[in-house]
Amino acid sequence: QAQLVESGGGLVQPGGSLRLSCAASGIPFSRYTMAWYRQAPGKERELVAAVTGTGHTNYGESVKGRFTITRDTAKNTVNLQMNSLKPEDTAVYYCNGRWFANNYWGQGTQVTVSS
């Protein structure tokens, strides 16, 4: 049974950093494109960052240069390092794993950027 479990959210001041982690189980992790999405109140869910099984990455325009996505195939985890955080980064962040028609989501973790 596929399972994605996020951790690392919390409250941080503007300009601060947070690191999110997503532990995957029950899937052939190396085959999956792993991604982080976020959804702020009243807004649609948007792509933050993604990394393919071969390590190719892409980022949402608003986070380029500030966020970094990495994957550890040995540990079946995908991480999101978030630096220079802004209040507009406040959202629930979701881990996603996708491979052809297989598409799984984590429960989400809250990130709040506020002074």
Side-chain angles (χ1 to χ4, degrees):
Q1 182 178 354
Q3 189 173 22
L4 303 178
V5 179
E6 302 101 335
S7 61
L11 173 65
V12 63
Q13 292 187 343
S17 298
L18 275 178
R19 182 179 176 86
L20 304 183
S21 291
C22 172
S25 60
I27 61 173
F29 183 76
S30 63
R31 298 179 183 179
Y32 273 66
T33 291
M34 301 301 297
W36 288 94
Y37 287 75
R38 67 186 182 188
Q39 188 166 19
K43 295 188 176 181
E44 292 187 354
R45 192 171 294 191
E46 64 173 355
L47 174 69
V48 176
V51 57
T52 69
T54 56
H56 177 77
T57 59
N58 68 289
Y59 295 89
E61 284 297 323
S62 63
V63 307
K64 283 183 179 179
R66 299 188 298 124
F67 292 10
T68 303
I69 189 170
T70 57
R71 67 189 296 158
D72 185 334
T73 301
K75 296 181 179 179
N76 283 10
T77 58
V78 59
N79 303 304
L80 184 69
Q81 178 66 42
M82 305 186 293
N83 298 328
S84 302
L85 283 160
K86 305 175 181 180
E88 51 263 43
D89 294 317
T90 295
V92 177
Y93 284 68
Y94 296 91
C95 180
N96 172 261
R98 176 173 49 84
W99 180 52
F100 291 105
N102 303 292
N103 191 29
Y104 301 107
W105 294 91
Q107 296 278 52
T109 185
Q110 177 70 46
V111 171
T112 302
V113 184
S114 175
S115 55

